[in-house]
Amino acid sequence: MSGGSEVAAILPMQEPVERPVVKQDVNPRREVRTGAELLCSLLEQAGVDTIFGYPGGAVLPIYDALYSSPIRHILTRHEQGAIHAAQGFARVTGKPGIVLATSGPGATNLVTGIADAYMDSTPLVILTGQVPIESIGRDAFQEADIVGITMPVTKHNYQVRDIHDLPQVIADAFYIATTGRPGPVLIDLPKNITAGPASAAVLPQAHVRGYRLPGLPQAADVEAIIEAIRQAKKPLLYIGGGIVSSGASSYLREFAHRTKIPVVSTLMGLGAFPAHDPLFVGMLGMHGTYAANRAVTECDLLIALGVRFDDRVTGKLQRFSPHSTKIHVDIDAAEIGKNVPVHISAVADVGLMLQALLTREVHIDTAAWHEQILLWNEEWPLQYHASEGDLKPQQVVELIAQYTHEEAIITTEVGQHQMWAALFYPFSRPRQFVTSGGLGTMGFGFPAALGAQVARPDSTVICIAGDASFQMNIQELQTIVENQLPVKVAIINNRYLGMVRQWQQFFYESRYAESRIGSPDFAKVAQAYGALGLRAQTLAEAKTALETAFAYNGPVIIDFIVKEEENVFPMVPPGKGTDEMTLEWEE
Amino acid sequence: MERTFSVLVNDRPGVLARVAGLFSRRDFNIASITVGTAEEAGLSRMTIVSSGDDAMALQIMRQLEKLVEVIEVADISKDPVVKRELALIKVEADKNSRPEISHILEPFRVAIVDVGHSSLTVQVTGGVEKIDALIGLLRPYGILEIARTGVTALLRAAAKEVEESGEEVGS
């Protein structure tokens, strides 16, 4: 980061992050007798209207207080379902997702979701019950050191040991979860604290001494970036989830259009820049498009905005964008230079940086560069071979896009279907695509769709799932049916752990060890739960099923029986450079 | 190269675990870590000795700064600092060897803090090299136990101040 004066004068006064709004109409002086009642009052004051959770012994006082609270509680069938639902809620709204679970197994069942939210910078406030303070350390029934367990996967965590600390802890937890680089914050609540006496309190201002947010973009950084762009012949914008978190999509669009710089996106950035925009080259990385990966390799200026140079993006580091001057703008100082050394860096909110950049005039001639990218696109466009007999997974994704006018909120599980969803559904707005990027959590997508639908009751929410992934949190069928959530689940059923099988085919001589996986009749399972269950094996059946599903105002599970051994291409094999793509597989 | 970080943290339960956990999770090395109360009530100062190149040192600092309980981090590896460690060394010493050992100890300005029939315990303070040197000299007599505090450090008031006399002896 370089020094210099701030560019405050030219920037509109605008908050980059959607912050929790303190509700003015909530009366903090309402009668409060217990710690749990105080907790509910403070949550209401922090703007909480929905909690995803599961009760148990150590949180009985909290559930008793919730019983007479206006906060909506969604009872899932597993704590993991609750936290992924809260992630879905947070990802489509930008507001923190709230989770409540009991001590011991209730808390440990949340760990995968917490780690997932930490990797994908999702704001969550997680409340866990704990055994009474006098029992802590004695291996009490349902005791687990959840603060210790979650230290490496939370942005911060707390154990409330004195009821007088609770108001400040709640205020600070929401502040930390939602500002800067968002992330999960856990609050552990011993039962004697929530059951014990308390009196009403106003939610205080957050005050966290050791927590610093970056200031406004520095004028010198802005100048350095503009100067680098002026020198560039083949510039490329490499954008990621930070654009979404920052709410910077409109600034990005304007900046790309004004400078005519083409855009490649990470998995987490999809939707932040419209897929149909002529400047959009595609997703980059292991399963990125041919043109996107060629562009990254050949560009002379790489402008990385709100990204973290993940290994699934860079491939072999020595071969990653070898000829480029690299600029990195991120709100998290620790991301600068973590994986890839860069020439120009700025620790700043990307939205504020883009606004600052928009105040400068830049005219560069990138016509030849655009021509080259178009040629790469023609050389190897995104494609698959449609065949007469088989239903292809890519076809199913294209059909879903067609039937939803490309406007649905799409969540995914993890694996081949996730990549096909990323490549073949054209996303046009931020927060439209909800997927587990960093941690790669199978079982994420279905409960995330549940949470997304709770947050966006009027939107079409579709979970594109794999037959194996869907079985990891299939129990949440009961939750969507009970709550009449019209989530549609499209299972891309290939009878395999498809991505595992693909790797075994390529790198383990087609020895399909344990990747063949059986499933129940998903349509019947759906019916047993009270959802509509459909099955499609041909293109015609697929169309009929989608028509039926979208005509039905309730939860639907469609089992698409697709070709078994289809592979995701292009693919950058592990340990190879992004320019060493496998485009098709010959036996 | 060796790196020394001076880290001001909140004096709260679990802070040491957060810092130590960060080092192990990120595959950063810890040669030594010392913690004690700092000048301001409610804060502790940690001195962490680690190793790594400039990029690694920057990454360590920035990851430490992300911890909410960390107030301030300084990489003092290249700055003029006062670095001290305290060691207690219990060495075998009978009537015959005791005068010889005392002779060795003399220039080190140590304190003999415990004397038994067949051993004595020495308290030595100074830089790491000085303590290493003393241990090396005492080893032939039979070292029974050693307890070292690890390095603690503060920036010097001015770069040109002269090292107080006696501290570098024995290295």
Side-chain angles (χ1 to χ4, degrees):
Chain A
M1 230 194 344
S2 44
S5 63
E6 292 184 338
V7 289
I10 50 167
L11 292 170
M13 292 303 289
Q14 196 175 339
E15 292 294 338
V17 183
E18 197 175 342
R19 303 240 166 111
V21 183
V22 175
K23 271 199 205 166
Q24 299 301 330
D25 56 335
V26 177
N27 177 12
R29 302 278 172 221
R30 198 178 65 195
E31 195 192 354
V32 162
R33 292 158 302 180
T34 65
E37 286 174 358
L38 174 59
L39 173 70
C40 288
S41 157
L42 292 165
L43 291 174
E44 279 179 59
Q45 293 177 63
V48 173
D49 53 19
T50 309
I51 291 179
F52 299 90
Y54 202 103
V59 285
L60 278 169
I62 303 175
Y63 274 86
D64 188 62
L66 278 174
Y67 198 59
S68 52
S69 155
I71 296 174
R72 181 184 187 189
H73 181 275
I74 305 282
L75 174 67
T76 56
R77 287 302 174 277
H78 191 294
E79 288 88 354
Q80 191 185 359
I83 190 157
H84 291 325
Q87 290 178 271
F89 180 96
R91 291 274 289 272
V92 299
T93 59
K95 293 195 290 186
I98 317 297
V99 191
L100 174 57
T102 194
S103 64
T108 55
N109 277 343
L110 299 176
V111 172
T112 301
I114 298 173
D116 191 282
Y118 188 62
M119 281 283 235
D120 285 348
S121 310
T122 308
L124 295 181
V125 174
I126 302 136
L127 307 163
T128 52
Q130 184 52 279
V131 300
I133 288 174
E134 63 267 28
S135 302
I136 290 177
R138 294 162 188 266
D139 301 318
F141 177 65
Q142 292 193 330
E143 181 186 357
D145 174 18
I146 199 64
V147 170
I149 289 169
T150 60
M151 250 177 216
V153 290
T154 49
K155 196 171 168 189
H156 193 49
N157 60 18
Y158 295 93
Q159 184 175 72
V160 179
R161 299 182 65 89
D162 181 338
I163 188 64
H164 299 104
D165 295 339
L166 186 65
Q168 193 63 54
V169 166
I170 297 286
D172 293 350
F174 276 83
Y175 180 64
I176 292 169
T178 56
T179 55
R181 177 178 180 175
V185 177
L186 181 140
I187 306 172
D188 198 29
L189 298 157
K191 191 175 183 181
N192 62 308
I193 296 287
T194 51
S199 45
V202 178
L203 186 70
Q205 282 285 323
H207 176 73
V208 196
R209 185 174 171 191
Y211 181 69
R212 290 155 299 264
L213 293 172
L216 289 167
Q218 303 288 306
D221 291 339
V222 174
E223 275 319 312
I225 294 170
I226 293 291
E227 196 44 43
I229 293 172
R230 287 194 178 121
Q231 305 291 324
K233 300 245 174 331
K234 297 184 284 181
L236 189 66
L237 283 157
Y238 152 38
I239 62 132
I243 300 284
V244 179
S245 297
S246 157
S249 291
S250 57
Y251 305 121
L252 171 67
R253 265 200 301 274
E254 199 180 337
F255 182 70
H257 281 235
R258 269 214 230 159
T259 54
K260 308 245 177 349
I261 301 179
V263 178
V264 296
S265 174
T266 68
L267 181 71
M268 294 300 293
L270 290 176
F273 194 81
H276 287 305
D277 193 299
L279 287 170
F280 189 64
V281 190
M283 183 168 80
L284 80 165
M286 183 171 270
H287 291 297
T289 64
Y290 177 76
N293 283 340
R294 287 300 301 270
V296 169
T297 307
E298 299 296 327
C299 69
D300 65 359
L301 178 66
L302 189 68
I303 309 167
L305 302 177
V307 297
R308 57 185 180 84
F309 294 87
D310 177 77
D311 59 87
R312 284 298 186 267
V313 160
T314 60
K316 189 179 186 181
L317 283 173
Q318 293 87 328
R319 292 184 79 105
F320 177 70
S321 196
H323 317 298
S324 63
T325 298
K326 293 176 188 68
I327 298 171
H328 192 189
V329 180
D330 201 88
I331 200 159
D332 180 356
E335 287 302 336
I336 310 289
K338 185 183 80 178
N339 293 340
V340 171
V342 295
H343 306 89
I344 301 168
S345 65
V347 179
D349 176 281
V350 278
L352 294 178
M353 177 55 87
L354 281 163
Q355 288 177 67
L357 292 171
L358 282 167
T359 63
R360 303 292 201 278
E361 289 291 322
V362 209
H363 297 287
I364 46 167
D365 180 13
T366 54
W369 178 228
H370 284 278
E371 200 62 36
Q372 176 61 69
I373 289 172
L374 279 177
L375 282 176
W376 284 326
N377 251 325
E378 282 165 23
E379 198 180 324
W380 200 270
L382 197 55
Q383 58 190 297
Y384 63 92
H385 303 291
S387 63
E388 277 293 307
D390 295 314
L391 185 59
K392 285 293 187 91
Q394 301 93 328
Q395 261 176 332
V396 175
V397 175
E398 283 181 340
L399 276 179
I400 292 169
Q402 188 188 319
Y403 278 86
T404 56
H405 312 290
E406 303 179 1
E407 283 175 357
I409 291 170
I410 302 290
T411 75
T412 76
E413 301 288 347
V414 167
Q416 287 186 317
H417 69 274
Q418 177 189 31
M419 292 300 111
W420 284 316
L423 293 168
F424 289 92
Y425 197 106
F427 298 99
S428 56
R429 57 171 206 277
R431 306 198 178 282
Q432 190 187 357
F433 184 50
V434 178
T435 194
S436 169
L439 198 67
T441 305
M442 289 172 71
F444 169 86
F446 179 42
L450 183 171
Q453 189 77 78
V454 167
R456 295 279 181 258
D458 299 324
S459 299
T460 302
V461 178
I462 301 168
C463 170
I464 297 180
D467 44 320
S469 280
F470 183 59
Q471 292 185 70
M472 283 211 178
N473 272 313
I474 196 168
Q475 75 286 346
E476 300 310 329
L477 273 167
Q478 183 61 29
T479 315
I480 60 166
V481 169
E482 243 171 43
N483 289 279
Q484 281 304 298
L485 299 168
V487 170
K488 318 291 185 222
V489 181
I491 303 171
I492 310 290
N493 187 343
N494 59 8
R495 281 79 71 203
Y496 275 110
L497 285 161
M499 192 61 91
V500 173
R501 188 205 55 71
Q502 179 171 338
W503 282 53
Q504 288 171 334
Q505 183 185 357
F506 293 1
F507 313 119
Y508 295 88
E509 299 163 328
S510 296
R511 289 156 55 86
Y512 294 162
E514 300 300 320
S515 56
R516 187 55 137 158
I517 194 162
S519 298
D521 180 332
F522 288 117
K524 278 191 185 157
V525 170
Q527 283 156 18
Y529 274 102
L532 182 60
L534 304 168
R535 188 182 163 97
Q537 206 151 3
T538 64
L539 191 58
E541 284 174 9
K543 288 177 179 171
T544 311
L546 285 168
E547 273 162 31
T548 311
F550 291 117
Y552 180 75
N553 184 28
V556 184
I557 311 304
I558 315 173
D559 191 7
F560 291 98
I561 311 297
V562 299
K563 183 175 179 289
E564 286 190 346
E565 298 191 34
E566 187 73 7
N567 291 318
V568 182
F569 292 116
M571 179 180 190
V572 177
K576 299 280 187 174
T578 42
D579 58 328
E580 299 174 288
M581 284 168 277
T582 303
L583 298 170
E584 50 192 345
W585 187 257
E586 302 294 343
E587 284 300 321
Chain B
M1 66 171 276
E2 189 182 277
R3 298 279 173 175
T4 309
F5 301 95
S6 182
V7 189
L8 205 57
V9 300
N10 284 318
D11 179 13
R12 292 215 187 108
V15 175
L16 181 59
R18 285 178 203 278
V19 171
L22 171 68
F23 272 72
S24 76
R25 179 167 80 90
R26 296 272 175 196
D27 206 14
F28 303 147
N29 161 272
I30 300 184
S32 78
I33 184 165
T34 66
V35 198
T37 51
E39 61 277 11
E40 186 184 324
L43 298 186
S44 301
R45 186 173 296 282
M46 290 187 184
T47 305
I48 304 171
V49 180
S50 178
S51 57
D53 58 14
D54 286 355
M56 171 81 96
L58 195 59
Q59 190 52 211
I60 290 173
M61 284 212 355
R62 285 175 169 171
Q63 293 292 352
L64 279 169
E65 282 166 352
K66 274 173 77 168
L67 295 178
V68 170
E69 302 282 33
V70 169
I71 307 294
E72 202 179 279
V73 187
D75 178 357
I76 54 173
S77 315
K78 293 172 181 172
D79 297 323
V81 289
V82 185
K83 276 194 204 173
R84 291 292 178 269
E85 185 177 11
L86 183 144
L88 296 173
I89 305 161
K90 189 185 281 179
V91 60
E92 277 185 60
D94 56 23
K95 276 180 192 156
N96 301 328
S97 61
R98 204 163 282 170
E100 212 175 309
I101 291 173
S102 297
H103 198 64
I104 289 172
L105 295 176
E106 208 168 302
F108 285 88
R109 301 191 175 198
V110 301
I112 295 171
V113 290
D114 188 46
V115 180
H117 289 297
S118 58
S119 73
L120 52 85
T121 301
V122 174
Q123 172 195 303
V124 58
T125 316
V128 174
E129 295 81 7
K130 174 181 167 184
I131 293 170
D132 287 346
L134 179 59
I135 290 169
L137 289 168
L138 291 178
R139 203 170 287 285
Y141 298 94
I143 286 176
L144 299 169
E145 282 177 283
I146 296 178
R148 295 176 73 154
T149 58
V151 172
T152 193
L154 278 181
L155 278 177
R156 284 191 179 280
K160 285 179 183 169
E161 251 173 68
V162 184
E163 180 87 6
E164 65 182 278
S165 62
E167 287 300 342
E168 301 309 310
V169 176
S171 56

